[in-house]
Amino acid sequence: MSILNYLIRRIGLALLVILGVMIITFFVSRVLPADPVRLFVGVRASEETVEAKRAEFGLDQPVPVQFLNYAGGILQGDFGISFRTKRPIVDDLKIFVPATLELVILSMVLAIVIGIPVGVIAAANRGGWIDQISRIVTIAGVSIPSFWLALLLQLLFFSTLDWLPLGGRLSREFIISNPIETVTGFYVIDGLVTGNFEAWRNALWHLVLPTFVLATYPISLTARMTRSSMLEVMSETYISAAQAAGLSRREILFKLALKNAIVPTLTVLGLVFAFSITGAILVEIVFSWPGLGTYVTESILSADFPVVMAVTLIVTVIYVAINLFIDILQATLDPRVRLGSQ
Amino acid sequence: MSFLKVEGLHISFNTPHGVAEALRGVEFSVHEGAIFGVVGESGSGKSLTGKAILDLVPYPGRITSGRIFFENEDLRQKSERERRAMRGNQIGMIFQDPSAALNPVFTIEQQMMGIMKRHRAEAKKEMRAKALGLIHDVGLPDPERVMKSYPHELSGGMQQRVMIAMSLLLDAKLLIADEPTTALDVTIQAQILDLLKKLRDEKGLTIMLITHDMGVVAETCDEVAVFYAGEVVERGNAQEVLSNPQHDYTRALLAALPDGSRWDEAGEDSTRPLIEIQNLTQEYVSKSGLFGRTQTAVRILDQFNLTIYEGETLGVVGESGCGKSTLANTLMRLIPATAGEIRYDGSDILTLDGPALRQLRQHFQMVFQNPFTSLNPRMRVFDIVAEPLRTHRQLGSADLKVQVDRLIVECGLTADYADRYPHELSGGQAQRVAVARALALNPRFLILDEPTSALDVSVQDRIIKLLVDLQKKHQLTYLFISHDLGVVQQISDRIAVMFAGEIVELGTSEAVFTAPQHEYTQKLLAATPSLIRMKRDNSL
Amino acid sequence: MKPATIFNRWLGFAFTRPEPGSANWYFRRDKLAVVCLFAILFMIFVALAAPILTPYPEQGLGDPNLGEKFLPPSVAHPFGTDDLGRDVLARVMFGARSSLIASFAIVSVAMVFGSVLGAIAGYFGGWIDELIMRITDIFLAFPPLLLAITIATVLEPSLRNSILAVAVTWWPWYTRIVRAQAVTIRERNYVKAARSIGVNDATIIRRHILPNVLGPVLVQATLDLGSALLTIAGLSFLGLGIQPPTADWGVMVSDGREYVQSGRWWIGLFPGLAIFITTLSFNLLGDGVQTATDPRIRSV
């Protein structure tokens, strides 16, 4: 199969998956709850108000029509109205998505920059002390609850040592007197672009703990997966053949085996995103980070289903897009992926 | 002075059961320019010896003692750096399965240039020219295209040629070829062996050819060492060892080889057809292009006709992809046919279903190539043999036990094997269990799909003997499928030679073997390394 | 097989000398994994015997004791007391119940459901395979915790519903593993032999496919216990799991968050430590089992 055919097929599948995801979120938000309208207007509202609102939201129509309205709205960027804030959800998302992505992207970068080399080195020293230590540390890394780690670090670096801020994206004095102007929504970029270096430094300072906590799981996971795919590759005959041809261990490890092992390891990056974004939900609460996680948790507490569904949907679409990108990357790296794509 | 000399080589493996000696004082020497055969069964230590020369003994094994001299230098005294410089430059190696030995994510060019860059400081252009030349030398057409290919885009034979070219990139003087043709078809095997001989003659290459096949040794080697349980039990000039073996094990190996004689005298010619295959066509539709819109039909069997007579053994010979397995699967109703009929007992079995199909399943049974993949590793021998009885007969547990025990004993095992799991059996024992399962329902027709090719030579003839005895006792009809003319000839009354989905030659075993008519049969016969031919050639 | 036979086998597995070279033999050489196995058994014991082990069983079950609020760790209260004056150690012991039940329940439900679907998809192939795997793809398209949060949000918060919410997001992983295995096993000759004998499809799946995928599936299940515990703790932390006054580790860490600024560290520290140690034990155990059963990665 040519790469173009592979691409088209893969994109088609991704669209199918997004359709399925929309069906599920629709089902969960409109069909599972007993009466979403009652939730919106409150318990004390009269029957007439309920029916009026039901008609306004189109919830009195047959379920398939409701779904078409829902899907049509989403395609136009309309995620509905929040029960809690009564604002269009899409306006809230514009504020919260960049805040969360700032954390998630940093955590993914750390996972790649630290996780992959650690995995390769552990595999190269299989059974040695570096391998043993990295095994324990990385397993601990995937075992520690992020919200608890966040709590511990707050206790240490804020309560005890007072080195780092407790939470938030920016200290209060900056928010009041010298806020970072929004250009992209990413403070790390906006602070530099607008030349507001003091606030920028303050923003970086606030990023340290949340990023570290969020990156713990992804780094450990990447290191473990890299190690095991490296070991698998190292047991292949073509590695023996390369040795027989006189290639050195370093060349085999870093030039040959890494390219073979990177293909399965890339799959991990999709997972790393998934774990970062869901980890962010928990971590943001602890650090009062004004992102999707805080937004969604507040919505959960007030049973604000449309918001929860909208966030689920948007995060999932990003996830599907990332996986699509990874698959295409794998297909360009490994000619066999294109062939055995079914 | 010898070119390569191995003295007292010991290799041990750490195993859960303690230290196991895999090589126990191996000794041999190889002359420059010779093709040196290393022959033995699986686990005899022959591959390990090859790897030890390159210092590539796999984990958790290690060389405990011994010396390896290459051009009078002790390799084990050299530093890791010096040894690495020898690999490829002095000694090259090729492996059994070329598709596994080539790195799937690099093109041939990338792999070849990677090897040369390591050792040579030549200009890129010169290196490339050399690679192209070698690809041409190993007999591959269109070297430019081969260079740009990924390994999976080449056939098995082409991959092995590429491996050979790669191992010669740095002008190695010694080539260690570890079962280089085992994964290939016989005609391809013959071509690769010819190529090795040609390289020896033209480039003065010394070759250490590791194989389990005495036929290959007879065909190719000047000198030979016979390995058994980690030791060299016999070595010397290949002709002498083969014609006048000294050691019992060598004699047993040679005796087990097909030598043109038959196991059983031909039965009287049966004339009652049991199965008639008429115009059987099997198409495989390969979908390609966007959403599989481009469909190409590949005909695996094309208007295939064959009559199988009651009580006979019909041998079917052909190389991989000739359609012989498809034929077996269609007869067993494991896959549907595209068109045609298979008549048995007056009805077309391809249209049977329900109770009639269940009835047919009792009459047709099959024995597969590798007994370890045909026995469920999670079931005891008893349950394996009982499965057909449980499916078709309502027996009480006592009756069932009697039946199963009888079958196991009939196939040459004792009743206490019933409690074992497949991994507790040897290859030969496992194949006996598979035969017992096939006999459980008193079938009339058995398909034997390469029933001996996964077994060591010394076990093969015992399984053949069992099959011959059972055939007499139960008046069975056999369809014996194999890629090896020699084996088929031992047991068959008639032989059908298949090529590209058609029968190109059909005749009595004697006729096909001694006076092949079709060009392909002649080619196949010529490519089959065998002692018969060696003996015949010698006597002429 | 009778339950008694299975029990005897397990006893035999645990107490006889393993045959050298068996997975059991390799496993026992991994001392860390064996220690973790005992740690988990200890946790199970604590969860079961909590009412006997603690002097404050009523507090463990949720009764407030307002006279002893916010006491730091001491001999009487090794883990201190919480905002309602309850003994944190007793709460941690009782909290082990929901965490352990949840992780085993999630993995079992997901494993059984996912494996059966995977075996069906892999064995039959064709449109059945296509259908099952596309549904699986859709479920896998959600980041794991997110869908669980979504489902748990609309359901009444309770232990059962949070288990359900996580299991719904978990089964596709098993479907994938089992399908991949089943596709290769379907081509094995013993399946062909069974088909040529005339054994029906359901029996082939039950007798030939499922027993042969059991190994990798159980290894995966052991590896998953830790993640399941973390996920369920995360849901509880968000208030989507078991509800107060029943003790739960995730809820307790969430409570402890409020007291970081006032320096009452013990309220959140100990329940979180319990989550960490239990998850770590599950993960090290899983890693040990995986290594012991995979010839490619274990060392002699």
Side-chain angles (χ1 to χ4, degrees):
Chain A
M1 207 191 297
S2 77
I3 186 99
L4 184 69
N5 283 340
Y6 175 80
L7 262 176
I8 293 173
R9 196 189 138 77
R10 192 60 197 74
I11 290 170
L13 269 181
L15 291 178
L16 186 77
V17 164
I18 288 176
L19 179 69
V21 165
M22 275 165 51
I23 292 175
I24 291 177
T25 48
F26 171 79
F27 180 82
V28 173
S29 61
R30 305 286 173 99
V31 185
L32 268 193
D35 190 349
V37 180
R38 175 59 72 182
L39 283 167
F40 182 77
V41 295
V43 202
R44 276 183 294 274
S46 67
E47 263 321 296
E48 292 84 64
T49 329
V50 173
E51 290 314 312
K53 276 286 163 198
R54 195 186 301 284
E56 189 191 323
F57 289 154
L59 291 179
D60 52 348
Q61 287 168 330
V63 171
V65 177
Q66 284 188 39
F67 177 71
L68 285 182
N69 290 337
Y70 171 80
I74 285 168
L75 290 181
Q76 293 162 25
D78 173 15
F79 288 90
I81 294 181
S82 160
F83 285 176
R84 184 167 53 98
T85 64
K86 316 278 192 234
R87 280 167 24 107
I89 294 169
V90 68
D91 292 348
D92 292 337
L93 289 178
K94 279 179 194 154
I95 303 169
F96 297 126
V97 169
T100 299
L101 282 187
E102 191 164 52
L103 283 180
V104 168
I105 290 171
L106 276 174
S107 130
M108 285 183 76
V109 169
L110 287 179
I112 297 167
V113 173
I114 302 176
I116 292 180
V118 167
V120 173
I121 292 166
N125 296 289
R126 170 189 179 172
W129 61 271
I130 293 182
D131 190 25
Q132 302 281 2
I133 290 175
S134 101
R135 174 190 178 208
I136 304 216
V137 171
T138 52
I139 293 183
V142 296
S143 304
I144 199 159
S146 56
F147 49 91
W148 181 67
L149 178 63
L151 207 66
L152 287 187
L153 295 176
Q154 281 181 334
L155 280 167
L156 181 65
F157 290 102
F158 173 77
S159 304
T160 313
L161 298 169
D162 200 16
W163 286 357
L164 291 168
L166 181 68
R169 284 183 88 182
L170 215 51
S171 297
R172 186 160 298 152
E173 61 265 29
F174 285 98
I175 297 177
I176 295 166
S177 63
N178 189 13
I180 293 178
E181 264 177 73
T182 307
V183 182
T184 58
F186 295 91
Y187 281 8
V188 177
I189 298 172
D190 293 357
L192 282 180
V193 172
T194 57
N196 189 349
F197 297 113
E198 265 178 70
W200 181 73
R201 279 233 304 280
N202 185 269
L204 283 190
W205 220 225
H206 279 80
L207 265 171
V208 175
L209 286 186
T211 308
F212 177 79
V213 172
L214 194 56
T216 306
Y217 194 103
I219 291 173
S220 309
L221 186 75
T222 311
R224 287 175 57 67
M225 302 278 255
T226 307
R227 176 186 180 270
S228 58
S229 22
M230 281 294 282
L231 284 185
E232 231 164 85
V233 169
M234 292 301 282
S235 69
E236 299 281 351
T237 311
Y238 53 76
I239 295 297
S240 308
Q243 279 178 296
L247 270 67
S248 74
R249 201 175 146 69
R250 277 179 63 91
E251 281 171 304
I252 290 173
L253 218 49
F254 292 98
K255 282 198 188 150
L256 298 181
L258 191 57
K259 184 170 176 190
N260 292 102
I262 207 83
V263 174
T265 305
L266 276 175
T267 312
V268 185
L269 291 188
L271 279 178
V272 162
F273 173 79
F275 282 111
S276 298
I277 197 101
T278 51
I281 295 175
L282 298 167
V283 171
E284 283 180 9
I285 300 167
V286 183
F287 289 110
S288 314
W289 191 267
L292 280 181
T294 311
Y295 182 48
V296 91
T297 324
E298 282 166 3
S299 307
I300 290 169
L301 295 177
S302 50
D304 194 350
F305 300 151
V307 170
V308 180
M309 294 315 135
V311 171
T312 305
L313 192 62
I314 200 148
V315 168
T316 307
V317 170
I318 298 175
Y319 183 39
V320 170
I322 287 178
N323 279 328
L324 178 65
F325 173 72
I326 288 170
D327 280 356
I328 293 168
L329 202 61
Q330 283 177 327
T332 54
L333 280 177
D334 186 343
R336 291 169 306 168
V337 173
R338 302 198 279 271
L339 283 175
S341 58
Q342 180 41 65
Chain B
M1 184 180 127
S2 61
F3 184 64
L4 173 73
K5 192 170 181 189
V6 173
E7 282 180 0
L9 186 64
H10 283 79
I11 293 180
S12 314
F13 276 77
N14 287 333
T15 75
H17 303 271
V19 178
E21 286 232 291
L23 288 191
R24 301 183 295 178
V26 164
E27 309 231 355
F28 61 83
S29 61
V30 182
H31 294 106
E32 186 159 9
I35 298 184
F36 180 77
V38 171
V39 67
E41 293 183 352
S42 49
S44 61
K46 56 188 197 303
S47 284
L48 202 54
T49 308
K51 293 197 175 107
I53 294 169
L54 278 173
D55 193 32
L56 293 177
V57 176
Y59 175 88
R62 68 203 142 83
I63 299 178
T64 46
S65 68
R67 293 197 287 182
I68 300 166
F69 292 98
F70 178 70
E71 294 192 315
N72 292 323
E73 285 184 90
D74 188 349
L75 296 185
R76 293 196 62 220
Q77 302 299 323
K78 287 179 180 283
S79 71
E80 166 60 28
R81 204 187 173 76
E82 288 171 318
R83 269 183 292 194
R84 199 171 64 227
M86 297 206 65
R87 289 183 208 141
N89 265 324
Q90 309 281 332
I91 309 175
M93 182 155 184
I94 57 175
F95 297 82
Q96 173 168 354
D97 184 356
S99 65
L102 289 165
N103 194 325
V105 303
F106 293 97
T107 61
I108 304 302
E109 176 161 3
Q110 286 168 330
Q111 301 189 43
M112 293 184 111
M113 299 302 271
I115 292 170
M116 282 198 283
K117 250 186 262 164
R118 166 74 203 154
H119 294 274
R120 296 289 155 89
E122 285 164 31
K124 202 175 165 211
K125 226 172 122 187
E126 284 166 38
M127 291 198 283
R128 199 163 185 284
K130 178 160 193 190
L132 282 170
L134 274 167
I135 293 178
H136 176 80
D137 285 354
V138 295
L140 286 171
D142 201 353
E144 280 286 351
R145 198 184 61 82
V146 172
M147 285 277 266
K148 290 194 173 62
S149 303
Y150 283 98
H152 70 263
E153 293 165 336
L154 306 174
S155 72
M158 289 168 86
Q159 288 173 340
Q160 196 60 292
R161 285 172 194 267
V162 167
M163 274 307 291
I164 293 172
M166 280 171 82
S167 66
L168 299 178
L169 274 177
L170 306 170
D171 308 307
K173 297 175 197 157
L174 171 67
L175 178 66
I176 299 174
D178 188 358
E179 302 262 13
T181 58
T182 310
L184 306 174
D185 275 329
V186 263
T187 46
I188 311 291
Q189 160 167 308
Q191 291 166 13
I192 296 288
L193 293 178
D194 280 343
L195 172 63
L196 291 179
K197 276 191 270 191
K198 189 182 123 205
L199 290 172
R200 190 267 311 266
D201 295 341
E202 290 176 5
K203 295 188 190 270
L205 191 67
T206 311
I207 297 168
M208 180 167 157
L209 181 63
I210 301 169
T211 178
H212 67 283
D213 190 340
M214 270 293 190
V216 168
V217 174
E219 199 81 347
T220 326
C221 299
D222 310 310
E223 300 161 43
V224 66
V226 182
F227 272 60
Y228 182 70
E231 285 176 271
V232 176
V233 293
E234 184 160 2
R235 62 194 159 109
N237 179 293
Q239 294 288 350
E240 277 170 30
V241 170
L242 292 180
S243 53
N244 185 19
Q246 298 301 310
H247 194 274
D248 284 348
Y249 177 71
T250 319
R251 274 198 285 269
L253 262 187
L254 287 168
L257 280 178
D259 59 357
S261 66
R262 269 181 61 93
W263 273 96
D264 55 338
E265 59 284 11
E268 61 244 54
D269 291 347
S270 165
T271 47
R272 209 183 91 85
L274 183 74
I275 296 166
E276 288 169 283
I277 303 170
Q278 284 160 4
N279 299 323
L280 182 64
T281 298
Q282 276 290 15
E283 265 178 11
Y284 161 76
V285 180
S286 106
K287 290 178 187 172
S288 61
L290 199 48
F291 307 115
R293 272 189 315 210
T294 326
Q295 303 195 341
T296 353
V298 183
R299 288 217 160 171
I300 298 170
L301 292 177
D302 193 5
Q303 299 278 321
F304 189 88
N305 291 293
L306 182 65
T307 304
I308 302 166
Y309 293 100
E310 194 164 3
E312 78 166 339
T313 300
L314 176 63
V316 174
V317 191
E319 294 178 287
S320 55
C322 75
K324 58 190 197 299
S325 299
T326 306
L327 174 66
N329 287 337
T330 315
L331 274 167
M332 291 307 291
R333 284 291 308 270
L334 289 171
I335 50 171
T338 312
E341 311 197 318
I342 299 176
R343 301 198 73 80
Y344 166 76
D345 258 0
S347 53
D348 180 7
I349 66 164
L350 294 175
T351 58
L352 296 181
D353 56 4
L357 181 60
R358 277 178 68 83
Q359 188 67 29
L360 177 78
R361 298 252 184 249
Q362 303 187 34
H363 289 182
F364 285 21
Q365 290 291 317
M366 185 157 172
V367 175
F368 297 88
Q369 176 171 7
N370 186 340
F372 289 111
T373 69
S374 72
L375 305 180
N376 184 341
R378 303 265 163 188
M379 281 164 77
R380 285 167 200 276
V381 168
F382 180 87
D383 293 313
I384 290 169
V385 179
E387 185 164 49
L389 296 167
R390 285 187 173 131
T391 310
H392 290 281
R393 313 239 200 280
Q394 311 296 324
L395 295 176
S397 61
D399 286 345
L400 190 64
K401 173 132 184 47
V402 171
Q403 292 275 351
V404 170
D405 285 353
R406 180 184 60 77
L407 286 161
I408 294 175
V409 172
E410 189 172 359
C411 290
L413 299 172
T414 50
D416 56 317
Y417 277 84
D419 285 332
R420 297 203 189 179
Y421 283 97
H423 72 262
E424 297 167 312
L425 305 173
S426 69
Q429 288 166 346
Q431 196 60 295
R432 287 172 193 273
V433 172
V435 173
R437 170 178 59 192
L439 286 180
L441 298 168
N442 291 319
R444 294 172 69 189
F445 176 59
L446 269 190
I447 295 178
L448 309 167
D449 186 4
E450 310 240 10
T452 58
S453 62
L455 305 175
D456 277 332
V457 210
S458 49
V459 185
Q460 288 183 2
D461 58 334
R462 278 178 253 157
I463 295 293
I464 297 280
K465 184 168 185 318
L466 173 72
L467 291 169
V468 168
D469 291 346
L470 290 170
Q471 182 175 37
K472 265 189 208 132
K473 194 166 155 198
H474 298 283
Q475 287 88 48
L476 295 166
T477 306
Y478 284 164
L479 185 75
F480 191 105
I481 297 173
S482 180
H483 68 282
D484 187 343
L485 253 176
V487 174
V488 170
Q489 181 270 342
Q490 283 184 307
I491 183 169
S492 304
D493 300 303
R494 292 191 303 152
I495 293 178
V497 180
M498 277 183 78
F499 180 72
E502 285 176 67
I503 291 179
V504 295
E505 182 152 0
L506 177 65
T508 64
S509 184
E510 180 83 22
V512 171
F513 209 70
T514 51
Q517 299 301 307
H518 194 273
E519 190 190 350
Y520 177 73
T521 318
Q522 291 162 358
K523 210 170 122 194
L524 199 63
L525 204 56
T528 310
S530 85
L531 286 177
I532 322 154
R533 207 140 35 78
M534 190 188 83
K535 283 176 184 166
R536 199 174 53 200
D537 293 351
N538 281 355
S539 60
L540 285 176
Chain C
M1 220 183 305
K2 287 186 201 113
T5 337
I6 295 175
F7 184 68
N8 280 338
R9 255 210 214 164
W10 273 99
L11 278 187
F13 188 78
F15 291 109
T16 51
R17 251 185 110 75
E19 189 191 326
S22 63
N24 187 4
W25 183 86
Y26 279 104
F27 177 73
R28 288 200 204 182
R29 285 160 35 110
D30 187 351
K31 297 292 174 244
L32 195 56
V34 175
V35 168
C36 289
L37 178 62
F38 279 102
I40 290 159
L41 292 176
F42 176 72
M43 281 288 182
I44 294 173
F45 167 74
V46 168
L48 289 173
I52 310 163
L53 294 174
T54 169
Y56 318 102
E58 333 68 48
Q59 293 176 16
L61 286 168
D63 284 1
N65 175 30
L66 296 170
E68 295 188 310
K69 285 203 292 190
F70 300 126
L71 293 183
S74 62
V75 178
H77 301 286
F79 289 5
T81 62
D82 66 5
D83 53 335
L84 296 174
R86 298 172 298 199
D87 181 55
V88 175
L89 176 59
R91 302 282 292 163
V92 168
M93 288 163 98
F94 276 89
R97 295 179 163 190
S98 56
S99 300
L100 291 174
I101 289 174
S103 36
F104 282 107
I106 289 166
V107 170
S108 321
V109 171
M111 181 175 72
V112 171
F113 187 71
S115 303
V116 170
L117 273 188
I120 290 173
Y123 176 70
F124 287 106
W127 67 269
I128 300 178
D129 183 26
E130 196 70 20
L131 180 71
I132 293 178
M133 292 325 287
R134 292 298 82 81
I135 293 174
T136 309
D137 281 346
I138 290 168
F139 275 88
L140 283 173
F142 291 95
L145 182 64
L146 197 64
L147 183 59
I149 289 177
T150 312
I151 295 171
T153 309
V154 286
L155 298 174
E156 195 77 1
S158 72
L159 182 62
R160 199 198 54 162
N161 283 346
S162 60
I163 289 173
L164 208 71
V166 180
V168 165
T169 67
W170 214 285
W171 61 268
W173 297 97
Y174 290 94
T175 309
R176 275 211 174 161
I177 297 169
V178 172
R179 179 193 174 268
Q181 297 272 328
V183 166
T184 40
I185 292 174
R186 177 183 63 184
E187 298 304 321
R188 297 265 161 84
N189 285 334
Y190 56 81
V191 174
K192 275 194 190 169
R195 284 174 58 206
S196 71
I197 286 165
V199 182
N200 64 48
D201 293 329
T203 312
I204 290 178
I205 291 179
R206 191 168 48 78
R207 201 183 282 163
H208 296 283
I209 307 268
L210 284 176
N212 284 294
V213 298
L214 196 65
V217 165
L218 282 180
V219 170
Q220 186 60 38
T222 328
L223 283 167
D224 279 353
L225 283 169
S227 326
L229 179 62
L230 271 191
T231 309
I232 206 81
L235 281 188
S236 303
F237 179 79
L238 293 175
L240 293 171
I242 200 163
Q243 294 299 300
T246 314
D248 183 275
W249 293 343
V251 178
M252 291 166 78
V253 178
S254 174
D255 291 345
R257 194 162 58 90
E258 290 168 36
Y259 305 102
V260 170
Q261 273 177 290
S262 53
R264 290 163 181 148
W265 50 270
W266 58 90
I267 300 179
L269 180 107
F270 291 109
L273 191 65
I275 301 176
F276 177 46
I277 289 176
T278 316
T279 310
L280 186 65
S281 304
F282 277 138
N283 283 339
L284 283 170
L285 173 71
D287 191 60
V289 170
Q290 189 181 35
T291 309
T293 48
D294 189 344
R296 278 180 312 195
I297 56 177
R298 67 192 177 194
S299 47
V300 184

